[in-house]
Amino acid sequence: MPPIVLCSACDVVQKKASLRRRERARCVRCGAELYRAGPVSIDVPIALALTALVLLALTDSFPLVTLKLNGTSRTATLVDAALGLYQQGYAPMALLVAVTTMIVPGLEIGLLLYLLVPLRLGHRPAGFARLFRILGAIRPWGMVEVFMLGTLVALVKLSALAEIVTSTALWSCALLMFNLSALTTVTSTEHFWTWAQGADVR
Amino acid sequence: MKRFATGQERGLLLCTRCGKISPAFQSPRALCPRCAAPVSFRKPQSLARSSALVLAAAILYLPANLLPVMHTSTIFGDEEDTIMSGVLALLHSGSWPLAALVFFASIFVPMMKLIAMSLLIVSVYRGSSKHTRQRALLFRLVEFIGRWSMLDVYVIALLVALVQIQSLASIRVGAGAFAFGAVVVLTMCAAQSFDERLIWDRQVKDE
């Protein structure tokens, strides 16, 4: 039996075609993307995840911007942004900001490293399937790129009123945005399972 | 029109988490043999769940747009901002590309998500077989741009954290921001619980 695929968007059964580099397969009926050409080396996502870890640590611990007005100044970190909402009695919103900008990206990077590094060494880590599922479930809730754009809008709004000094975390956040998007592209579901199967054989 | 065979007709289950295809057995709670995620031909109670979530979002859409999202106190007096007045303020300050961006993310996208999801749910509920491809595209668009409406939540969070300069200026969160955040989360959940394969199911029967 030739390998088949089911379109996740319209459920049509179709034969799996072999792809050349950078090619992607689309569904014959609805045009949804089915899968992309074979995985890159597993070292690529590991390198990207390690970079993301450093960038996230910088983004979470350094100030994003400093506001200067009439001789006084105020600095805000990403944690302050969530904390400010909490202190004003909007705990669910604080949680939403913390989850989408810090907790989910952190978990995502941590899970990826936990899953990928052992695969690189030739075995599946404990709880592989369950953790992979959790990774898929939390991914849509990481919104670093939206936060980055929100920061820029906030800065433009404030620049009319006060002097703005950008800091470390703003730059690391901008880099993290590109890094995470590359990481998502190279760790698609089917590539993950190709690496996992490779680890079993070895 | 060309006849397409679906996994459901062939008795093949697709795991939406890991992509594994497995033969369906007559079991109410089937689990994917590879990753043990619950699998089914179509997401369970997809229409009921997503319509409930869209309805909740539609109700909260009103306070989200009518109530102030920010209270600003400066030495010149107090001011209240709604989502729309925030866009207008950006427009008046001369940064129209930014005003367009915020209008798109905060006003157009949430409204478009509510209308599009309602349209998709109603059309699937009525068993429509028209404009299938267009509806599938519409759903993909909703899924893709949905997250961008979080933009204003982050803007508010940052302004609140930064503008706390005693006696000169301070910003407090308004109840509208809470409702707005809830609309974004609820519409994202509605899109996630909607099974886009339902759009195509009627067509299979008609052909």
Side-chain angles (χ1 to χ4, degrees), chain A residues 4-14 26-33 64-70 72-78 80-82 84-85 88 90 92-93 96-97 100-101 124 129-130 132-134 136-158 160-161 164 189-190 193-194 197, chain B residues 2 4-10 12-14 16-19 21 34-38 41-42 70 86-87 90 93 95 98 101-102 133 136-137 140 147-166 168-169 171-179 181-182 184-185 188-189 192 195-198 200-201 203-204 207:
Chain A
I4 55 160
V5 279
L6 293 183
C7 173
S8 67
C10 78
D11 206 25
V12 161
V13 186
Q14 42 211 303
R26 292 190 177 277
C27 171
V28 285
R29 178 163 75 171
C30 76
E33 187 180 308
L64 283 160
V65 275
T66 303
L67 186 80
K68 287 185 177 171
L69 187 64
N70 280 18
T72 53
S73 71
R74 190 170 168 92
T75 302
T77 61
L78 187 47
D80 294 330
L85 294 172
Q88 296 194 1
Y90 289 87
M93 277 187 81
L96 183 64
V97 170
T100 51
T101 59
R124 283 192 199 189
R130 176 187 294 243
F132 177 76
R133 245 165 56 211
I134 294 174
I138 62 168
R139 268 190 163 171
W141 297 97
M143 305 193 191
V144 170
E145 75 281 21
V146 184
F147 175 78
M148 189 63 219
L149 205 60
T151 309
L152 296 182
V153 173
L155 292 190
V156 173
K157 279 193 170 192
L158 288 173
L161 312 164
I164 303 287
T189 307
E190 77 272 11
W193 286 101
T194 317
Q197 276 159 2
Chain B
K2 202 182 162 200
F4 291 104
T6 64
Q8 189 166 29
E9 294 166 323
R10 295 278 177 87
L12 294 173
L13 282 166
L14 173 74
T16 47
R17 281 277 171 255
C18 78
I21 298 168
R34 182 160 74 179
C35 76
F41 285 120
R42 300 293 176 261
M70 276 192 303
V87 175
L90 274 175
S93 72
S95 44
L98 217 56
L101 175 80
V102 177
R133 222 189 149 92
L137 272 175
R140 256 172 252 165
R147 55 201 286 107
W148 287 96
S149 30
M150 271 293 280
L151 187 85
D152 243 340
V153 172
Y154 296 134
V155 174
I156 294 162
L158 267 173
L159 290 181
V160 165
L162 275 171
V163 186
Q164 298 298 341
I165 297 173
Q166 298 94 2
L168 278 178
I171 292 183
R172 282 183 300 121
V173 196
F178 181 76
V184 179
V185 172
M188 271 187 72
C189 290
Q192 282 186 7
D195 194 326
E196 50 187 317
R197 290 169 292 192
L198 293 172
W200 299 88
D201 279 351
Q203 210 190 12
V204 176
E207 279 159 18

Side-chain angles (χ1 to χ4, degrees), chain B residues 61 125 134 179:
Chain B
Y61 186 75
Y125 187 73
Q134 286 89 331

Side-chain angles (χ1 to χ4, degrees), chain B residues 3 18 30 36 43 45 57 70 77 103 115 122 131 135 139 158 166-167 206:
Chain B
R3 180 73 183 82
C18 78
K43 291 178 189 171
Q45 276 100 46
M70 276 192 303
F103 176 83
I115 294 172
V122 169
H131 310 299
R135 280 187 288 140
F139 179 73
L158 267 173
Q166 298 94 2
S167 73
D206 281 357

